[in-house]
Amino acid sequence: MEELKAPFSRLPRRATYHSGAKLEAANRHQLTLPGIKKRGQGSRSWIQIDQDGNSQIVALDKASVMKKCNLPARDLRLLDPLFVYPSTLLGREKAIVVSLEHIRCIIMADEVILMNSMDGIVLQYESELCRRLKTRTDQSDDLPFEFRALELALELACMSLDSQVTELEIEVYPVLEKLASSISTLDLEHVRRLKSNLLSLTRRVQKVRDEIEHLMDDDGDMAEMYLTEKKVRMEAYSSSDPYCQSYSSVPTVVSKSAPVSPVGSMGESYKLERTSSKSSSKHGSFRSSSNSTEHIEELEMLLEAYFVVIDNTLSKLLSLKEFIDDTEDFINIKLSRIMFGTS
């Protein structure tokens, strides 16, 4: 009992009324330290890749990315490396939000901003995309910029998941064959760990498959991803509409009494940009919806190709799980016979 009480005896005392002032002063001092920043206000490192294949590392804060890409804050949370979110593909007004395994990027009509990381698949995405954009010798030369960037993200994510499944198969099958001949506690524990990895990998593969399937089932979502076409249509509409030109030439008046903060100013410009984009998208959305079935075939064929790849990967995982379940059933029957003394 004394050993159980010992750890609790070292716990700090609860703060009393007299020590409250000291704690409050200490908290104020801690919050004002220069090295501590509020979450979401610090800059992050991004890899910026333009349509000519040139890349550079830039530092962008959350507000700058939201304004640049016309994205809400909830979309940027999907790219936050501090959180683990399932794979996601989102088509927005001016960007495509991609979160596939370790590839977390925002694709626009003329550039990609990729979350900077030392992960191998991230570095491979940067180098391969720059190579393809500079050489332009691959088979997807006819694709617009955003689909070339999206295709590479799908390709690397599917290849990474398939290679992990292959490694798991190489490790699982010998252990299961060994268990079928002789039951060992060590091998049983090994299979239990491998089965846990199998279930986790299956969820990740299933999520990527579901995201691709969801896009293929929604023509509107696929039409939303034609960023180059929307950008050209928007520029043509802006140059031909005198009201839009006069509206853009009106200077923005900021009240002197309003608080000056980067977040607040971003919010006003973001609302203004959303308002103007909504008014102009009435014409653009109407045009794209009338002939969306013609234009989405290009993206639909691209998604179908990688849907087949990821579906094949999922089939291998399901077959592997079925083999593990059959081996477990065989072992249980074998143990029951040993227990009851039957042959």
Side-chain angles (χ1 to χ4, degrees), residues 230-241:
K230 289 195 297 184
K231 181 181 178 182
V232 172
R233 187 168 59 244
M234 181 70 69
E235 291 175 351
Y237 176 75
S238 300
S239 60
S240 61
D241 192 348

Side-chain angles (χ1 to χ4, degrees), residues 49 53-55 125-134:
I49 306 173
N54 302 314
S55 65
Y125 180 86
E126 177 193 5
S127 60
E128 182 64 18
L129 181 60
C130 291
R131 186 192 68 80
R132 292 185 182 185
L133 292 174
K134 288 179 178 179

Side-chain angles (χ1 to χ4, degrees), residues 105-319:
C105 63
I106 302 174
I107 302 174
M108 289 173 285
D110 53 1
E111 67 175 315
V112 175
I113 52 174
L114 173 68
M115 185 72 70
N116 193 9
S117 172
M118 296 304 296
D119 189 88
I121 192 172
V122 175
L123 300 177
Q124 186 179 1
Y125 180 86
E126 177 193 5
S127 60
E128 182 64 18
L129 181 60
C130 291
R131 186 192 68 80
R132 292 185 182 185
L133 292 174
K134 288 179 178 179
T135 58
R136 300 182 183 275
T137 57
D138 56 324
Q139 297 179 355
S140 60
D141 284 345
D142 55 334
L143 292 175
F145 172 80
E146 63 271 18
F147 292 162
R148 301 181 71 186
L150 177 62
E151 180 184 19
L152 181 58
L154 289 169
E155 179 183 339
L156 293 180
C158 291
M159 287 176 54
S160 175
L161 290 171
D162 191 71
S163 64
Q164 293 178 53
V165 173
T166 302
E167 293 175 0
L168 190 61
E169 286 179 328
I170 295 174
E171 190 174 1
V172 167
Y173 283 120
V175 180
L176 294 179
E177 293 175 358
K178 185 178 179 181
L179 273 175
S181 58
S182 61
I183 302 175
S184 169
T185 305
L186 186 62
D187 291 335
L188 286 173
E189 179 63 23
H190 190 190
V191 171
R192 187 190 66 83
R193 292 195 302 268
L194 292 176
K195 188 175 182 180
S196 177
N197 296 337
L198 171 68
L199 295 177
S200 176
L201 186 57
T202 302
R203 285 193 295 267
R204 290 160 53 195
V205 172
Q206 182 72 53
K207 181 57 179 174
V208 175
R209 180 187 180 278
D210 292 345
E211 282 295 306
I212 298 176
E213 186 177 24
H214 171 74
L215 283 175
M216 293 170 58
D217 291 340
D218 196 322
D219 294 350
D221 287 348
M222 285 192 288
E224 192 74 15
M225 290 186 171
Y226 280 77
L227 304 179
T228 301
E229 183 178 331
K230 289 195 297 184
K231 181 181 178 182
V232 172
R233 187 168 59 244
M234 181 70 69
E235 291 175 351
Y237 176 75
S238 300
S239 60
S240 61
D241 192 348
Y243 173 76
C244 186
Q245 294 178 358
S246 60
Y247 180 78
S248 60
S249 62
V250 176
T252 304
V253 179
V254 181
S255 174
K256 295 182 179 180
S257 61
V260 179
S261 66
V263 177
S265 59
M266 184 282 305
E268 295 298 329
S269 60
Y270 178 71
K271 292 178 182 178
L272 181 61
E273 188 174 0
R274 290 290 294 174
T275 304
S276 60
S277 63
K278 285 181 180 179
S279 61
S280 60
S281 63
K282 293 180 181 179
H283 303 271
S285 301
F286 175 78
R287 296 177 187 176
S288 60
S289 61
S290 60
N291 54 358
S292 60
T293 55
E294 301 178 6
H295 295 157
I296 63 173
E297 291 180 359
E298 191 176 38
L299 178 58
E300 191 174 17
M301 292 177 62
L302 173 65
L303 295 175
E304 281 179 355
Y306 292 99
F307 178 81
V308 172
V309 174
I310 200 67
D311 189 62
N312 180 60
T313 302
L314 182 61
S315 298
K316 292 195 293 185
L317 285 170
L318 296 179
S319 300

